């Protein structure tokens, strides 16, 4: 799953994620489809550890959701 856009005031954007980042994992769950992405988000509550590939380099971000 590739990040294409952010909602205004996005917690993920504030955490450092960028448009074009390729999401590899959310809370240690491998992301290989939109369905697995949605399932991982739903299983998590307010804190996510997201691993992305950005231009060939893996980076980890902690996203705290202030819903």
């Amino acid at each position: 799953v590739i990040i294409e856009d952010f909602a205004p005031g996005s917690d993920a954007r504030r955490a450092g994620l960028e448009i074009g980042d390729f999401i590899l994992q959310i809370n240690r769950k491998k992301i290989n489809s939109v369905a697995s992405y949605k399932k991982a988000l739903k299983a998590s509550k307010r804190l996510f550890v997201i691993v992305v590939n950005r231009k060939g380099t893996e980076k980890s971000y902690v996203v705290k959701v202030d819903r």
Side-chain angles (χ1 to χ4, degrees):
V1 174
I2 297 174
I3 298 173
E4 295 180 348
D5 199 6
F6 291 98
S10 168
D11 296 310
R13 179 74 164 175
R14 280 197 301 270
L17 292 165
E18 296 181 1
I19 291 173
D21 284 349
F22 185 84
I23 299 173
L24 302 173
Q25 295 179 26
I26 296 176
N27 292 346
R28 298 186 189 185
K29 292 180 175 39
K30 186 175 179 179
I31 304 302
N32 53 21
S33 67
V34 172
S36 64
Y37 167 79
K38 288 180 180 180
K39 185 177 179 180
L41 289 181
K42 193 173 187 176
S44 302
K45 300 298 179 197
R46 299 176 60 105
L47 189 66
F48 304 88
V49 177
I50 300 178
V51 178
V52 301
N53 180 309
R54 180 180 298 156
K55 298 178 183 175
T57 302
E58 283 191 18
K59 297 181 176 247
S60 297
Y61 297 91
V62 176
V63 180
K64 183 179 178 187
V65 179
D66 294 327
R67 305 183 221 187

